[in-house]
Amino acid sequence: MLIKLENITKEYHNDDIATPVLKNINLSVREGEFLAIMGPSGSGKSTLMHIMGFLDRPTAGEYFFEGENTTNFTDDELARIRNERVGFVFQSFNLLPRTTVLNNVKLPLVYTHGKNIHGLAEKAIAAVGLGHRADYFTNQISGGEKQRVAIARALVNTPSVIFADEPTGNLDSKSGGAVMHILQELHRQGHTIILVTHEMDTAEHAERLIKIKDGMIMDDQPITARRIAEPDGAINK
Amino acid sequence: MKLKILQQVFQGLGNNKVRTLLTTLGIIIGSAMVILVFSAGAGFKSYIEAEIDSYGSNAVFIETRVPPTTQALANGVSESINTSTGTTAVAITSLKTRDVADIKRWPNVADAYGIVIGQKAAAYKGVKKNIMFWGSDPGRFQIDKGELASGRFYTEREELGLSQVAILGYELARDLFGEEDPINKIIRVGDLNFTVVGVYEERGGFGPHSTDNVVFIPLRTAQKKILGIDHLVTVIAQIEESDAAEATVEDIRAILRRNHNIDDPKKDDFLVQTSAQALNTLGAVLAGINFLLIAVAAISLLVGGVGIMNIMYVAVTERIGEIGLKKALGAKRSDILSEFLLEAVLLTLLGGVAGILSGAAMAFLVSKIAASYGLAWDYIVPLYGIIISVSISALIGIVFGVFPARNAAKLDPIQALNKE
């Protein structure tokens, strides 16, 4: 089992008033799954992704990642997991401005001891079909290309799981489709992908759908009528 | 790994070139001041040393001074008024040729000569110039290092014979004679005619220290025919063994006290100093000026450091999203800390290097200006000045960079990411 959450609870404290965001979440994700977490805003889906992605800590409960109990990991240990075993794709791309595509993709490798940084970054850029854009600055490329750069950056450390938080939220449907195509392609190659979205259309690209509301998992089912995105962004159902 | 972080820092700095420059301005000015102070200080020292050396090494200066009054002594005032510049109303007339003779006879004294100084108009063929004249006996030519461009020194016979012969300073000769050869020409000094027997080479010096505008005439001629006095203003002695300099100075004081009938050293009407002591006096003045300039430089560096801190705080706020992203991608606290600290240190070092270059350039200008006045002013940028400047810059970067850097390192990745 890649990810195993046991009774995960998250509360935010404001002036001693506890606001529960996640309530007793139990969830397992196998290696190679393509999972979509769907819910309205405020449902806790983002918080759940942050906890699964080691960006945040649960208030209570246990988190097993690749068999390891990570509940009591230090900040530096979590940073290391984020760096080596997790990749992130954000809604607003979060690329460094005035920096080339290549240097953006290299960024996670700056914090590892790895060698051949250049080669790994070029390989990741080629994997998202942007080899011809490697030396462009991030303000010189389109939104869809930006998100593909972000995917390349998430890939560059060959992570165990890729988290995509509303990856098509800032894109038109065509470039959004192209991004979904890449994610599906990565999944087909064996990557584990966890997609967070509030749109059913986007969620239906995954294989398994979890619906979350008011901090609780309401539904957990395989997707039967799966959408398939084409390289040019067209969607087949 | 640190190297890769350094690349990140360079990228960040390169993206904000104008701001980088403005931020480091305080540091640039501060380091430039430090270098300028050290360099000009070293140059000034070289000039003073050359100046004192021109009187001959192992020189001892004996000058008259007004002894402190009983009242001043009671008040604890021990300052003396130097009469060699002739600025006081009280004239001390006790320093005599006899003193010079007695000093000359002392075992460790190689030679000595007395000087009187006055001011007159000098004229040649309608060209007139106000000049200083120095009356000194020919013993001066044994000690003084000045060399003649043409002609000869005056002789002992001319000294004793009250001859009206003169040696001209370089500049004065040029001003009075232009292209003409001054040797054996007659000039007028005050009401007397003098035959020019020699012209000095250019010696440099500045203001009252310059002897390029001076007429040198025999001592007795100056005393008897121009000034109407029989005392001296200054005596310069050359000692043989510099190891015994202090003792010899004490001996000279004893001779003078005996000759002047002084039993209380507090009532001395003279001042005896070796060239080393004169250097020390000047050195103390120089150290005071240096201290002041260094204080100004320190304030400038401090202000520069605060500027760096300010801009680093701005940079942290501005780059919260970037910091959040880097943390999300696996940057540890220590990575972010070192990135921002390195940036601050690099900024100040950049300013430090720019400051050293501009300070060295300014010091070069100062040395050129000094040289244009004929001063023997060496252009020196002392290595310790550079080392001090660089280490201060780096230290300021660390001290003023550490707080903003810690703020950056402490940021929570999610909150930072959501700031976008």
Side-chain angles (χ1 to χ4, degrees):
Chain A
M1 201 60 69
L2 179 67
I3 287 172
K4 193 161 189 264
L5 303 181
E6 286 183 356
N7 298 318
I8 291 288
T9 298
K10 180 71 182 177
E11 288 173 351
Y12 287 117
H13 292 268
N14 255 340
D15 300 328
D16 292 335
I17 303 164
T19 315
V21 182
L22 295 175
K23 301 164 191 166
N24 278 317
I25 299 281
N26 288 289
L27 176 66
S28 295
V29 180
R30 275 177 293 107
E31 233 167 272
E33 271 195 274
F34 191 163
L35 172 75
I37 300 174
M38 211 182 105
S41 61
S43 60
K45 62 183 191 302
S46 285
T47 304
L48 180 59
M49 190 211 87
H50 290 152
I51 288 173
M52 286 200 285
F54 303 101
L55 287 168
D56 203 353
R57 292 170 182 275
T59 313
E62 310 231 292
Y63 180 6
F64 296 87
F65 187 78
E66 295 185 318
E68 246 180 311
N69 189 345
T70 65
T71 315
N72 293 318
F73 272 23
T74 64
D75 283 353
D76 278 0
E77 283 170 321
L78 294 185
R80 198 183 169 114
I81 291 191
R82 286 199 298 272
N83 185 233
E84 293 174 356
R85 288 145 86 179
V86 173
F88 292 102
V89 178
F90 302 102
Q91 179 175 359
S92 48
F93 322 133
N94 291 70
L95 301 178
L96 293 181
R98 293 169 300 217
T99 308
T100 61
V101 166
L102 187 66
N103 281 331
N104 263 283
V105 174
K106 275 183 188 174
L107 189 58
L109 301 171
V110 168
Y111 304 107
T112 53
H113 296 273
K115 288 187 183 112
N116 190 23
I117 286 185
H118 202 79
L120 287 172
E122 281 186 331
K123 211 175 124 198
I125 293 168
V128 298
L130 284 177
H132 59 296
R133 291 276 192 262
D135 295 322
Y136 279 55
F137 285 89
T138 47
N139 52 324
Q140 295 171 320
I141 58 176
S142 71
E145 287 174 327
K146 280 180 187 167
Q147 198 58 299
R148 281 151 71 187
V149 173
I151 293 171
R153 184 179 63 193
L155 270 178
V156 77
N157 267 342
T158 51
S160 309
V161 53
I162 294 172
F163 292 95
D165 188 4
E166 304 275 11
T168 59
N170 281 6
L171 299 176
D172 61 76
S173 65
K174 202 171 166 197
S175 31
V179 163
M180 291 317 295
H181 168 77
I182 290 171
L183 289 177
Q184 284 185 324
E185 185 60 26
L186 290 173
H187 170 240
R188 204 183 54 76
Q189 291 166 10
H191 283 278
T192 311
I193 293 167
I194 297 178
L195 170 73
V196 174
T197 181
H198 66 280
E199 282 175 298
M200 194 58 179
D201 287 357
T202 310
E204 280 176 343
H205 289 84
E207 288 180 330
R208 176 185 168 195
L209 178 63
I210 287 170
K211 286 183 182 166
I212 187 165
K213 199 182 168 191
D214 296 330
M216 287 180 290
I217 293 175
M218 312 301 286
D219 198 14
D220 182 354
Q221 283 184 22
I223 293 168
T224 44
R226 197 175 171 217
R227 286 168 184 261
I228 302 296
E230 295 295 326
D232 63 359
I235 311 286
N236 300 320
K237 195 156 180 177
Chain B
M1 160 127 175
K2 290 289 174 212
L3 198 71
K4 285 181 261 174
I5 288 178
L6 201 64
Q7 280 170 355
Q8 293 285 308
V9 174
F10 272 118
Q11 272 175 33
L13 289 180
N15 287 343
N16 283 306
K17 287 187 189 75
V18 176
R19 195 168 75 185
T20 303
L21 181 77
L22 288 177
T23 306
T24 53
L25 206 59
I27 302 292
I28 292 175
I29 293 170
S31 321
M33 289 279 290
V34 170
I35 290 296
L36 186 60
V37 166
F38 283 129
S39 178
F44 188 64
K45 200 164 162 249
S46 75
Y47 155 63
I48 293 293
E49 278 167 359
E51 189 72 9
I52 295 221
D53 198 46
S54 74
Y55 285 98
S57 49
N58 297 336
V60 173
F61 302 92
I62 300 137
E63 292 173 331
T64 57
R65 67 158 190 177
V66 177
T69 60
T70 326
Q71 182 65 40
L73 276 176
N75 291 342
V77 179
S78 62
E79 261 150 275
S80 63
I81 300 159
N82 192 320
T83 56
S84 65
T85 49
T87 47
T88 50
V90 193
I92 300 296
T93 58
S94 53
L95 198 58
K96 298 278 170 57
T97 313
R98 183 191 152 207
D99 294 327
V100 180
D102 288 349
I103 290 167
K104 247 187 200 175
R105 271 200 297 275
W106 202 252
N108 194 30
V109 175
D111 212 338
Y113 65 95
I115 302 175
V116 293
I117 293 172
Q119 224 171 344
K120 281 280 183 246
Y124 177 74
K125 277 189 185 167
V127 185
K128 209 169 177 183
K129 211 182 167 195
N130 273 321
I131 51 96
M132 300 277 287
F133 65 87
W134 286 28
S136 73
D137 64 70
R140 177 169 177 277
F141 307 130
Q142 309 298 318
I143 297 175
D144 187 84
K145 287 193 174 163
E147 298 205 2
L148 293 183
S150 61
R152 59 171 177 87
F153 293 117
Y154 49 79
T155 61
E156 189 66 32
R157 181 194 292 260
E158 283 166 327
E159 166 70 38
L160 294 171
L162 272 64
S163 299
Q164 283 163 228
V165 289
I167 300 170
L168 304 186
Y170 165 83
E171 203 178 317
L172 179 63
R174 199 190 54 197
D175 289 351
L176 290 185
F177 289 93
E179 297 295 302
E180 206 178 322
D181 179 15
I183 303 300
N184 292 327
K185 302 274 163 39
I186 309 286
I187 61 163
R188 216 168 162 73
V189 176
D191 300 326
L192 300 175
N193 287 332
F194 281 82
T195 307
V196 178
V197 296
V199 175
Y200 269 115
E201 288 198 349
E202 185 170 11
R203 302 190 67 172
F206 185 64
H209 288 288
S210 172
T211 53
D212 286 341
N213 265 315
V214 170
V215 177
F216 297 88
I217 57 177
L219 175 66
R220 285 168 181 79
T221 312
Q223 282 180 319
K224 304 234 152 62
K225 289 188 168 173
I226 301 182
L227 296 167
I229 57 171
D230 65 349
H231 64 266
L232 301 165
V233 174
T234 301
V235 174
I236 294 167
Q238 172 107 0
I239 52 178
E240 273 164 358
E241 285 299 322
S242 56
D243 294 344
E246 295 293 319
T248 308
V249 163
E250 219 24 77
D251 292 340
I252 292 172
R253 287 191 184 120
I255 294 169
L256 291 173
R257 274 179 208 129
R258 196 191 62 216
N259 287 359
H260 299 182
N261 295 319
I262 294 166
D263 38 15
D264 182 1
K266 279 180 186 154
K267 291 182 179 165
D268 279 355
D269 57 359
F270 55 83
L271 202 68
V272 185
Q273 268 192 323
T274 62
S275 47
Q277 285 165 333
L279 255 185
N280 283 346
T281 312
L282 273 162
V285 174
L286 201 63
I289 298 170
N290 262 359
F291 181 77
L292 197 78
L293 290 173
I294 290 285
V296 174
I299 290 168
S300 178
L301 284 170
L302 188 76
V303 171
V306 173
I308 296 275
M309 179 146 84
N310 185 36
I311 210 68
M312 289 310 293
Y313 271 123
V314 172
V316 170
T317 314
E318 211 179 56
R319 278 154 44 192
I320 279 184
E322 182 187 320
I323 295 162
L325 173 74
K326 285 179 173 174
K327 282 202 149 186
L329 297 184
K332 291 190 277 289
R333 262 180 194 223
S334 57
D335 292 327
I336 301 290
L337 188 80
S338 36
E339 190 174 320
F340 275 84
L341 210 52
L342 266 173
E343 181 168 333
V345 170
L346 215 69
L347 264 177
T348 49
L349 274 181
L350 223 69
V353 170
I356 287 168
L357 292 180
S358 42
M362 281 191 275
F364 183 71
L365 264 179
V366 167
S367 76
K368 279 288 158 208
I369 290 167
S372 77
Y373 279 99
L375 304 192
W377 186 295
D378 293 346
Y379 173 58
I380 307 161
V381 178
L383 185 66
Y384 61 83
I386 293 173
I387 292 169
I388 288 173
S389 204
V390 167
S391 18
I392 287 178
S393 309
L395 194 72
I396 282 175
I398 292 169
V399 169
F400 289 95
V402 77
F403 293 101
R406 273 180 51 193
N407 273 12
K410 275 194 299 197
L411 281 174
D412 176 53
I414 301 167
Q415 281 175 8
L417 271 172
N418 290 343
K419 278 272 162 62
E420 280 283 284

